[in-house]
Amino acid sequence: MQKRNWSFRITWFRVLLIIFVLIAVGAAIYRFIYGLGSITNLNDRWPWGLWIGFDLLCGIALAGGGFSTALIVHVLHREKYLPIARAALLTSMLGYIIALASLFLDIGRWFNFWRPFFFWGYHSVLFEVFWCIALYTTVQVLEFGDIFFEKVHCPPLKKVLHFFMPFLLIIGIVLPTLHQSSLGSLYVVAVDKLNPLWWSMIIPFFFVWSAFFLGPAMVTIEGTLAARAYGRKPELPVFESLTKVTLWMMIVYLIVKVIDLSYRGVLSSAFNGSFESNMFLIEMIVFVILPIIMYAIPGIRKKLWGVLTASILVVAGVIFNRMNVVFTGMAKSVGGHYFPTVWEFVITIGMWSALVLLYCFIVENFPILPKEEHVSHGSGFASKPGVHA
């Protein structure tokens, strides 16, 4: 067994994140003892709030970089994207862990969380979503084991994981495709509740397709932030090349969306001046059409600021879409009022703070980022020599 040399740099920013995590843990314990009603504004009309709408639906979509990168690198054999594959896997794994945590928090009788493992309600879409997310998170942890045993030397276990890796990669692509679409299927039954601008029989397609084209954009943002934090040169050629994937997938998304609205005869409702129509137009113009234009112009996509700005719009757009589906599109039919309490925000901030801290720890201790001579730029996150970070 070799010396492991674990490290975790403490900065004022990380101390602040640790404080957020501790406060969130205290609030979560209070919620488990006294119930959902003690710290949330959830009610019978609004059973799904911030934790499901943002942490679960958006978290799962934002973690789409894992399966989309795995498909591009390991199935389509685009080896030039290999440098960002491990970082994409790590971000995806942490995103799914956050999604599972938010799902656990939102279960009314949380002590029954184990029941879906033994009592199979296979007629329920939620049952399929739960199983797929739980299995995919397990698969990602096993995939990460291949990286883990490069640091913690254990040749027998690494050999076993290496043997099963092709099977894990295939399962790791199939499972997220199933549950990403199933999250959209949850709203197919809401035909009389969800605004027709977002409801569609093919909403499962829109969910899985948007999660896929979001993946390269998320990888670009994460890679740029990691490069800045650890004094590295951003993988701009890789990011620029990935924009071609996102560009064509977003064009297909836009065309199918317009055809679907026209076929159902509701395209005109996008221009009736209502709150819902304005939110829909913002979603499509600012977060779909504008990034397509930016990606299509070589002078923009070949610049770091350009590809980063367009990628931020794509990621923000998918979040905006999920929020519109969960809140904007459902508000009129559901009635009543819901706005998250400060404690719901506190727990959400704490969970995402934990994600950032875990990411920093893993990147600084495992070979996640490609080897490179480090460049000191005065950042408070500079890593020590010899670590792939």
Side-chain angles (χ1 to χ4, degrees), residues 1 7 40 42 47 99 117 132 147 152 207 239 244 321 342 346:
M1 187 74 70
S7 67
T40 74
L42 296 175
F117 290 109
C132 276
I147 302 171
V152 181
F207 264 54
F239 301 157
K244 298 171 185 173
N321 169 262
V342 64
V346 163

Side-chain angles (χ1 to χ4, degrees), residues 9 11 13-14 228-231 360 364 377-383:
R9 186 181 177 86
T11 66
F13 181 68
R14 295 184 183 186
R228 178 169 178 75
Y230 294 105
C360 292
E364 292 172 9
H377 65 20
S379 166
F381 298 96
S383 60

